[in-house]
Amino acid sequence: MTLDVRMFTVGMVQENAYLVRPEGGQRAVMIDPGDEADRLLHPLQELGVELEAILLTHTHFDHVGAVAPVAKATGAPVYCPKLEVGVLADIMAFVPWQGFGPFESYDADETIEGGETLELAGMTFDVRFTPGHSPGHVTFAVEDALFSGDVLFEGSVGRTDLPGGDWPTLAMSIQALLDEYGDETRVFPGHMGPTTLGRERATNPFLADLTRS
Ligand SMILES: [Fe+2]
């Protein structure tokens, strides 16, 4: 199956939200609607697709700021990491800097913690537990792609200085992805541009210690 992946970079923190569906499909999944709900809802109308689910890699405000308005407008259920439902339910209490928001809180419809297989919109998503950037962080694997939130970036990795962050834990999460998926696997991250596991394995300085072993 060929995926149709559309990336929308939204909000002051320039977070990547993704609209994913099988090519030509009438149903879609949205990953990490971080801000600018109108900009994310518009393509659904334009493409004539129905949103079947909203998947969250983690609940930092820049990834979930538009969850409530998108969920309410579409009726799509929200799948949230189990360890972080309390953050989604009280977003503004966890916005660490002033000047962002206000964002609307949301009570998750479904929880995920890694190990699940989700059949959504004609696609199969494997949920992988990838903590280290945040305590409940998950990565979604579908076809030849990883939607990895703030685990791995082009030439960089997710920060580990926020509450619940931890570099050895994040390193283990990245190692597990490198062990499981091949070099050709496409990586759609929460910030900056898409990359591949092979490219990061070969050039990402943060992974040098991991790939040497
Ligand atoms: Fe984050």
Side-chain angles (χ1 to χ4, degrees):
M1 179 204 301
T2 304
L3 293 179
D4 182 328
V5 178
R6 294 171 194 236
M7 181 174 102
F8 303 87
T9 303
V10 296
M12 289 169 73
V13 189
Q14 296 285 280
E15 184 265 347
N16 297 328
Y18 294 96
L19 185 63
V20 187
R21 61 184 173 133
E23 198 169 63
Q26 299 296 301
R27 297 175 294 154
V29 164
M30 191 172 288
I31 298 171
D32 288 358
D35 205 348
E36 302 186 56
D38 290 346
R39 250 187 86 203
L40 299 176
L41 289 167
H42 182 70
L44 296 174
Q45 295 176 332
E46 199 174 46
L47 297 167
V49 304
E50 182 187 339
L51 195 62
E52 188 157 306
I54 296 167
L55 305 182
L56 305 181
T57 61
H58 67 300
T59 56
H60 286 156
F61 74 91
D62 53 323
H63 290 251
V64 301
V67 164
V70 171
K72 285 176 180 173
T74 60
V78 175
Y79 291 69
C80 179
K82 192 173 187 177
L83 290 173
E84 302 186 17
V85 291
V87 180
L88 186 64
D90 192 10
I91 294 182
M92 291 313 292
F94 293 89
V95 174
W97 306 285
Q98 295 191 343
F100 295 100
F103 303 114
E104 193 180 338
S105 297
Y106 191 86
D107 291 322
D109 300 289
E110 305 283 345
T111 59
I112 45 182
E113 45 192 342
E116 298 91 349
T117 300
L118 307 175
E119 302 287 347
L120 296 167
M123 299 171 287
T124 302
F125 292 82
D126 288 323
V127 185
R128 310 298 308 242
F129 185 45
T130 51
H133 171 70
S134 73
H137 198 298
V138 296
T139 288
F140 301 103
V142 52
E143 297 293 327
D144 66 335
L146 295 176
F147 293 88
S148 54
D150 290 357
V151 168
L152 179 62
F153 302 124
E154 188 180 346
S156 188
V157 295
R159 57 192 290 184
T160 54
D161 59 328
L162 297 171
D166 179 59
W167 166 243
T169 304
L170 183 60
M172 277 172 36
S173 294
I174 296 170
Q175 180 72 69
L177 294 179
L178 290 171
D179 289 347
E180 176 98 18
Y181 300 100
D183 281 348
E184 68 290 349
T185 305
R186 295 186 291 166
V187 177
F188 294 97
H191 301 276
M192 301 183 280
T195 182
T196 65
L197 273 190
R199 178 173 175 179
E200 297 314 309
R201 198 193 304 269
T203 65
N204 189 320
F206 291 89
L207 306 194
D209 287 343
L210 302 181
T211 49
R212 203 176 291 134
S213 55

